Amino acid sequence: MLALVLALPLHGAWRLFGRKSPWPPRFLGLVARIVGARARVEGTPLRHDVVFVSNHLSWIDILLLSGATGSAFVAKSELRDAPLVGWLCTLNHTIFVSRADRMAVTAQIAQIRDALAADWPVTLFPEGTTGDGVTLLPFKAALLAALDPPPPGVKVQPVRIDYGTATSELAWVGDEPGQHHAARVLKRKGSFVATLHFAEPFDPAEYGDRKAIAAEARRRMEALA
């Protein structure tokens, strides 16, 4: 809460003068450190015209990736209504998508393209849910619809997150309620190293449709294990 109180006036000042605010991702990166994560980046993340495609272990992933890259995220629409968290998501330009409303797909694709056009990196979690951090779940190619066809100049950069020896303690697997998982993470003593492995980016235009793009992203992510 102290970090939030300090970051909000700075964010407001940047926005008041019409500048792109760096404070939401900096705040999220600081929160990652507060919950014990010590980020280690391997590879070179792109800063512009990029869609990061990452595996997904926990809500801590969002803190880490935003802190390291300044990325916005694509998240399920239910998160928008979560107390405080939903509001914080809007400050970081989160794109909310509804899995149930198929009629809204075109608008959701447009939102992702608008974010890229505004020079915001965007992160997708193609597994569609959190996994155990060891095995990649099947990718949902529909989440890559905004890249079919891709906006000019946009690259895809796969990322693999690894919590090391703390993986089994921190991965959010199964039907555990979110508040229980958050409490379990916060009660954990000590810190842990979270490695963000960034693969070489690729041009999605060279791989055809979204299924081929998803397959190439998965191949590169698996090679990072």
Side-chain angles (χ1 to χ4, degrees):
M1 291 304 296
L2 177 59
L4 180 60
V5 168
L6 293 173
L8 277 177
L10 293 168
H11 171 70
W14 254 250
R15 298 302 299 143
L16 181 64
F17 290 98
R19 297 178 60 188
K20 182 178 178 181
S21 173
W23 294 104
R26 288 181 181 178
F27 164 73
L28 293 175
L30 178 57
V31 174
R33 191 166 184 85
I34 290 170
V35 302
R38 301 294 179 263
R40 182 175 66 192
V41 174
E42 295 189 357
T44 304
L46 296 180
R47 297 295 178 181
H48 308 281
D49 298 319
V50 59
V51 173
F52 296 111
V53 178
S54 176
N55 62 322
H56 199 14
L57 290 78
S58 163
W59 48 272
I60 305 171
D61 304 343
I62 294 171
L63 309 178
L64 290 163
L65 284 167
S66 185
T69 68
S71 176
F73 294 85
V74 176
K76 59 184 180 180
S77 57
E78 293 88 343
L79 193 60
R80 189 200 303 265
D81 299 322
L84 184 60
V85 173
W87 175 67
L88 289 173
C89 286
T90 63
L91 295 184
N92 199 51
H93 301 275
T94 298
I95 302 159
F96 298 101
V97 299
S98 173
R99 298 174 185 173
D101 187 1
R102 295 184 178 275
M103 299 299 291
V105 170
T106 300
Q108 292 165 3
I109 291 173
Q111 282 184 280
I112 296 173
R113 287 175 170 268
D114 288 345
L116 292 168
D119 201 24
W120 287 104
V122 174
T123 296
L124 298 171
F125 297 113
E127 294 168 293
T129 187
T130 51
D132 61 11
V134 179
T135 305
L136 287 177
L137 299 174
F139 281 12
K140 301 181 185 299
L143 294 175
L144 296 168
L147 298 175
D148 188 7
V154 169
K155 300 291 181 66
V156 173
Q157 187 166 27
V159 189
R160 187 146 188 170
I161 302 174
D162 180 9
Y163 292 166
T165 57
T167 297
S168 60
E169 297 177 77
L170 299 173
W172 187 0
V173 183
D175 299 323
E176 180 184 14
Q179 62 271 29
H180 291 180
H181 180 263
R184 181 162 58 82
V185 169
L186 293 174
K187 287 178 182 177
R188 183 184 183 276
K189 295 181 179 180
S191 60
F192 62 95
V193 175
T195 304
L196 281 62
H197 301 271
F198 287 87
E200 283 296 313
F202 65 91
D203 185 350
E206 297 178 0
Y207 290 86
D209 62 18
R210 59 193 181 189
K211 290 185 178 180
I213 295 168
E216 178 61 16
R218 185 185 180 93
R219 185 190 69 78
R220 295 188 183 216
M221 204 181 294
E222 287 175 332
L224 296 171

